[in-house]
């Protein structure tokens, strides 16, 4: 049975549109104008147990709204969803004990208490024994490099340390489904790498189903084989990450290094492809996929080439183009 089944899920918000100025405020007391904003529209997808899926989209695309409906925090306008066989917005105890939601900009730990005390409170809520708590916290604290920070007040921790503590709190009860919304936002490259390695290891060991949203494409590339792209509330793409480049990038990057003293003009190079970058010793061209081999042969014949390199368009650039559309 799939871990997550979503069918035609839709969420619309009704918002009050205030008229400008004091007159508008008074007028609103007697007659109000409302607007309907559709955040998610007819979204459908299925995720199997143990999958780690990237959920991508520009700001305002509907990612967080979808995750909140799957976590039972929002009631949908229409459509259906089942997570682990439960309807999320019914908020059954059996479901709430089997999933976790971590929002990168929200705190669940008590600000003025050491992280250990918040974790002990969570353990009481979930009925976790003291021995299991100690074992789990020690293991995760060691992997995330924050074991020596457990008795420090949360307000005195760095952003990276707080994020790691929040991650431990989310995984304390060994959930079968984990929703992560921007878990590495604001973290330095070292902390990002630590969190990614931890999530990869935890997913491999515990077979936790993970849905991850992130604007850092490195997170998606290193963790997710499958991605779902949502834009204006609708599913735009659902498939393997590697297929995005094949489907949405019709060019490759051909970089050539030339011997010292070689000269060329941009006008002459434009017949091979679009000149993306040019320096005294190298040229980078965007070349149509079906022309890469003949262009490389022509360059080798016509220029004193010392080295040649062929690469795919960076995934960040491809995703940026998709969002811009």
């Amino acid at each position: 049975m799939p871990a997550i089944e979503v069918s035609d899920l839709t969420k619309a918000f009704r918002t009050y549109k205030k008229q400008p100025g004091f007159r508008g405020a008074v007028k609103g007391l007697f007659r109000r104008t409302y607007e309907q904003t559709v955040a998610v529209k007819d979204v459908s997808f299925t995720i199997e147990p143990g999958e780690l899926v990237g959920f991508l989209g520009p700001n305002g695309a509907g990612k967080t709204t979808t995750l909140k409906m799957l976590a039972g925090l929002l009631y949908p306008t229409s459509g259906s969803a089942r997570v682990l066989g439960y309807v999320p917005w019914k908020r059954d105890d059996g479901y709430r004990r089997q999933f976790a939601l971590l929002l990168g900009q929200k705190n669940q730990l008590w600000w003025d208490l050491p992280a250990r005390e918040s974790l002990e409170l969570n353990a009481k809520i979930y009925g976790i024994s003291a021995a299991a708590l100690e074992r789990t916290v020690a293991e995760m604290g060691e992997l995330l490099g924050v074991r020596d920070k457990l008795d420090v007040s949360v307000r005195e921790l760095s952003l990276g340390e707080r994020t790691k503590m929040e991650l431990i709190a989310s995984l304390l009860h060994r959930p079968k489904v984990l929703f992560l919304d921007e878990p590495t936002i604001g973290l330095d490259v070292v902390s990002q790498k630590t969190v990614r390695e931890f999530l990869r290891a935890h997913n491999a060991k515990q077979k936790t189903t993970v849905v991850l949203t992130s604007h850092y494409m490195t997170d998606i590339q290193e963790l997710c084989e499958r991605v779902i792209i949502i834009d204006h509330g609708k599913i735009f793409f659902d498939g393997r990450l590697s297929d995005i480049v094949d489907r949405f990038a019709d060019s490759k990057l051909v970089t050539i290094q030339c011997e010292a003293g070689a000269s060329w003009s941009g006008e002459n190079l434009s017949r091979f492809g679009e000149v993306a970058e040019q320096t005294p010793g190298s040229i980078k061209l965007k070349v149509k996929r079906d022309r890469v081999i003949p262009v490389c042969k022509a360059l080798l014949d016509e220029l004193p080439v010392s080295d040649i390199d062929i690469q795919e368009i960076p995934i960040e650039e491809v995703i940026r183009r998709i969002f811009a559309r």
Side-chain angles (χ1 to χ4, degrees):
M1 182 179 70
I4 302 174
E5 296 178 277
V6 176
S7 178
D8 298 325
L9 200 62
T10 298
K11 178 62 179 178
F13 293 96
R14 185 169 176 257
T15 55
Y16 163 54
K17 184 179 180 182
K18 178 185 175 298
Q19 298 297 319
F22 178 73
R23 177 189 288 270
V26 174
K27 188 177 179 180
L29 295 174
F30 303 95
R31 178 180 295 177
R32 293 196 166 198
T33 303
Y34 291 91
E35 287 184 342
Q36 181 168 283
T37 302
V38 179
V40 176
K41 185 175 182 180
D42 299 329
V43 165
S44 300
F45 58 84
T46 300
I47 297 177
E48 298 299 323
E51 271 196 282
L52 206 164
V53 179
F55 200 42
L56 304 180
N59 290 330
K63 305 184 300 297
T64 302
T65 300
T66 302
L67 292 190
K68 285 183 176 180
M69 285 191 285
L70 295 180
L73 298 180
L74 292 176
Y75 199 97
T77 304
S78 63
S80 63
R82 284 192 171 273
V83 182
L84 302 175
Y86 294 92
V87 177
W89 42 89
K90 289 186 176 180
R91 301 178 184 176
D92 295 320
D93 285 344
Y95 175 55
R96 288 187 290 178
R97 292 179 178 276
Q98 297 185 70
F99 88 95
L101 170 66
L102 176 59
L103 301 174
Q105 300 183 31
K106 301 290 184 181
N107 298 319
Q108 60 178 317
L109 299 178
W110 288 84
W111 191 249
D112 295 308
L113 297 178
R116 186 186 299 277
E117 295 188 24
S118 290
L119 296 176
E120 289 174 352
L121 176 61
N122 281 12
K124 293 292 185 182
I125 293 172
Y126 285 103
I128 300 171
S129 68
L133 169 67
E134 186 62 33
R135 183 171 60 252
T136 300
V137 170
E139 177 187 346
M140 293 186 181
E142 189 69 34
L143 289 172
L144 289 168
V146 290
R147 192 171 181 179
D148 60 336
K149 302 291 184 179
L150 289 166
D151 295 310
V152 177
S153 175
V154 171
R155 69 164 56 250
E156 296 176 4
L157 298 175
S158 68
L159 176 60
E161 291 165 347
R162 286 203 306 272
T163 299
K164 293 171 185 176
M165 294 298 185
E166 296 280 354
L167 192 54
I168 293 174
S170 297
L171 296 173
L172 196 63
H173 58 293
R174 306 287 185 180
K176 294 182 180 179
V177 173
L178 175 63
F179 300 115
L180 295 173
D181 188 28
E182 302 283 356
T184 60
I185 189 169
L187 303 189
D188 61 70
V189 292
V190 176
S191 295
Q192 288 178 22
K193 181 175 173 56
T194 301
V195 170
R196 286 195 295 266
E197 290 177 346
F198 173 80
L199 289 173
R200 187 188 302 111
H202 184 83
N203 173 255
K205 182 179 180 180
Q206 302 294 333
K207 304 302 179 184
T208 305
T209 304
V210 182
V211 181
L212 166 69
T213 78
S214 179
H215 287 298
Y216 297 120
M217 282 309 301
T218 306
D219 292 347
I220 304 299
Q221 285 179 279
E222 293 193 10
L223 293 173
C224 308
E225 291 186 3
R226 176 188 170 192
V227 295
I228 297 172
I229 300 178
I230 185 172
D231 191 18
H232 292 92
K234 296 183 178 181
I235 297 294
F236 179 78
F237 175 85
D238 184 355
R240 294 176 60 84
L241 180 62
S242 57
D243 293 340
I244 293 179
V245 175
D246 295 336
R247 179 172 171 182
F248 297 104
D250 60 352
S251 303
K252 289 191 176 186
L253 294 176
V254 177
T255 304
I256 58 171
Q257 303 286 336
C258 290
E259 298 174 1
S263 62
W264 54 77
S265 67
E267 185 176 334
N268 290 334
L269 292 171
S270 62
R271 59 195 173 93
F272 298 114
E274 178 186 346
V275 180
E277 187 178 315
Q278 184 174 336
T279 65
S282 67
I283 316 159
K284 182 179 288 186
L285 299 169
K286 284 185 180 179
V287 181
K288 297 294 184 181
R289 286 177 174 272
D290 57 352
R291 296 191 63 231
V292 169
I293 293 177
V295 163
C296 289
K297 288 181 178 179
L299 290 170
L300 290 169
D301 290 339
E302 297 182 23
L303 295 174
V305 177
S306 60
D307 189 24
I308 190 166
D309 181 48
I310 303 172
Q311 294 180 329
E312 294 284 1
I313 301 290
I315 188 67
E316 294 92 340
E317 174 67 15
V318 179
I319 295 295
R320 186 190 65 76
R321 291 181 189 176
I322 293 173
F323 290 175
R325 292 169 57 181

